[in-house]
Amino acid sequence: MTAEQRFLLLLIVVGAVATVLGLISKRARLLPYPVVLAMAGIAVGLLPGTQFPRIGGNVILLAFVPGLIFEAALTLDQPELRRRVLPVGLLATAGVAITVLLIGVLTHLVLGLSWASAMLLGAILAATDPIAVITLLRRVRAPGGLVAILEGESLFNDGTGVAVFSAVLATILSGAPSFGDAAIRFVEITIGGTAIGLVVGFVGLALLRFAEDAPLEILATLVIAYGSYLAADLLHASGIVAVVVAGIVVARYGARIGRLHGPQLLGFWNLLAFVLNAMLFILVGAALPATTLLPVAGLVVIAFLIMLVTRAVPVYGLLALADFRGTLIPRAWRHVTFWAGLRGALPVALALSVAGLSGVDSRVSVIAYGVVLLSLLVQGGLFAPVMRALHVESVE
């Protein structure tokens, strides 16, 4: 079988598996779709003699992540987000910094990773991905404020988390890792990504003014999403920050020029996110098969527990700071926010991107992948009982 035929086989298998898994997820109403995908990724990695092409982490970041991030920005409930801007802002900035430091320190002390590799692992796992439970939240008619906090945190800490990751990785690859160098790099790539996202977003709005039908609107938004990422990547800024900013600009101002409300546009981006998620987990399952987790299974479990503990610190601490009177963010919402801090598609792509890099502990990528799987299976699988126990849901 030629490489081209194997790639076509991959597309066919992914499409078929995604369809079947989607049907299973709909039948099991309270099982989030990404949890089912994670199981499928494990199964793919265990298939003997798998001939799927192995795709590098950088290709996955370039091909998959911009589409997923832009779709999240496009469908964000911005009025509700503005009402929750303080807790979201704290979780996406101070929360990410606290998480990186705590995971880095604890994995260094407990797992014996070097300081550089421990901080890199913390940066990979800092970005939460509640996309796995957003559909479920909406299905059980969860409060709009809670959904806005989870969606907003996920979107913005994807940007800050990846910026921290890029800064830490760059200082490691420089051969002389240091906290000061990483901090300077973080500021540079974040500011650069923000500026590029603003420019591409407003230029994209000019394109959208002339898009008089849905196909042109779709094409313009694709150019904005992937163009902002590529422009930032070429200029050594944060591509994820650029996509987030460009997506927010388009979502906020696109409606003012009479765009972005067509069902075809939103339907396209929903479908694209669905396909990208499915392909990502299956590709990573083939690239990092579950058998590689066996030698470090103990480290993965410990790292997962560390991740849960460190999640509690920023959630309860920062949400208490954002609502010290306890009237805007009920205690039950805080518990849900803690448990809904799943790690998903983005940390998986970042984990794959550092696999095999010189200067990076080879265990980092495998541990990160294992933690993501446990997060999806344990936190995602138990999310519905947690919602019921906290009386947050009202099932249709």
Side-chain angles (χ1 to χ4, degrees):
M1 185 179 290
T2 66
E4 292 79 8
Q5 289 172 326
R6 286 199 299 272
F7 182 72
L8 179 59
L9 174 63
L10 173 65
L11 295 179
I12 294 171
V13 170
V14 167
V17 170
T19 302
V20 172
L21 294 179
L23 294 173
I24 293 174
S25 181
K26 284 186 177 297
R27 295 284 184 180
R29 294 183 69 249
L30 299 181
L31 187 63
Y33 184 63
V35 176
V36 182
L37 288 177
M39 296 176 183
I42 295 174
V44 168
L46 294 176
L47 291 176
T50 302
Q51 296 298 314
F52 293 151
R54 302 297 171 90
I55 300 177
N58 290 329
V59 174
I60 286 180
L61 282 173
L62 181 62
F64 291 82
V65 175
L68 292 170
I69 297 296
F70 192 82
E71 189 271 341
L74 202 61
T75 57
L76 194 64
D77 184 349
Q78 294 204 19
E80 188 64 52
L81 176 64
R82 284 194 289 271
R83 287 192 285 271
R84 311 290 173 178
V85 66
L86 180 57
V88 169
L90 287 174
L91 289 173
T93 53
V96 168
I98 293 170
T99 301
V100 173
L101 290 174
L102 289 179
I103 292 179
V105 170
L106 290 176
T107 52
H108 169 72
L109 297 177
V110 179
L111 302 185
L113 296 177
S114 68
W115 278 112
S117 293
M119 289 300 172
L120 185 64
L121 179 61
I124 291 174
L125 296 176
T128 61
D129 190 13
I131 293 171
V133 295
I134 290 300
T135 302
L136 179 57
L137 282 170
R138 289 171 174 165
R139 186 179 297 166
V140 299
R141 295 184 294 182
L146 174 60
V147 175
I149 290 173
L150 292 175
E151 283 187 315
E153 181 200 7
S154 173
L155 180 62
F156 290 107
N157 77 8
D158 280 353
T160 53
V162 174
V164 173
F165 165 81
S166 301
V168 173
L169 181 60
T171 192
I172 290 175
L173 297 179
S174 71
S178 71
F179 178 81
D181 181 48
I184 293 172
R185 290 175 186 271
F186 169 76
V187 173
E188 290 176 346
I189 63 180
T190 303
I191 293 176
T194 301
I196 292 169
L198 287 171
V199 171
V200 174
F202 283 108
V203 170
L205 285 174
L207 284 176
L208 284 169
R209 286 181 180 275
F210 299 99
E212 297 180 355
D213 52 30
L216 289 178
E217 237 182 44
I218 291 170
L219 184 58
T221 51
L222 279 171
V223 171
I224 294 168
Y226 285 90
S228 58
Y229 185 94
L230 181 59
D233 206 32
L234 291 174
L235 295 174
H236 306 291
S238 173
I240 302 300
V241 170
V243 176
V244 170
V245 172
I248 293 294
V249 168
V250 170
R252 180 170 183 179
Y253 296 103
R256 296 185 181 182
I257 60 175
R259 299 291 182 258
L260 308 181
H261 285 300
Q264 288 174 284
L265 176 70
L266 296 180
F268 167 81
W269 277 103
N270 287 335
L271 174 62
L272 182 63
F274 177 88
V275 172
L276 291 178
N277 260 311
M279 290 189 68
L280 180 59
F281 277 96
I282 293 173
L283 285 173
V284 173
L288 287 173
T291 52
T292 62
L293 297 174
L294 296 179
V296 294
L299 299 181
V300 168
V301 173
I302 295 172
F304 173 68
L305 294 176
I306 288 174
M307 186 201 72
L308 280 181
V309 171
T310 55
R311 172 69 177 169
V313 175
V315 167
Y316 291 109
L318 295 176
L319 291 185
L321 181 63
D323 180 30
F324 58 91
R325 294 180 179 178
T327 57
L328 299 177
I329 308 174
R331 188 173 300 275
W333 288 20
R334 304 180 192 191
H335 298 328
V336 172
T337 302
F338 161 72
W339 193 253
L342 278 71
R343 272 59 173 183
L346 183 58
V348 165
L350 295 178
L352 190 57
S353 71
V354 300
L357 284 182
S358 60
V360 177
D361 192 317
S362 60
R363 295 174 294 175
V364 168
S365 59
V366 182
I367 291 173
Y369 177 50
V371 169
V372 170
L373 290 180
L374 278 180
S375 177
L376 286 169
L377 296 176
V378 175
Q379 291 175 272
L382 295 177
F383 185 76
V386 168
M387 291 281 288
R388 283 196 296 267
L390 294 172
H391 305 290
V392 175
E393 41 78 21
S394 175
V395 180
E396 294 177 349

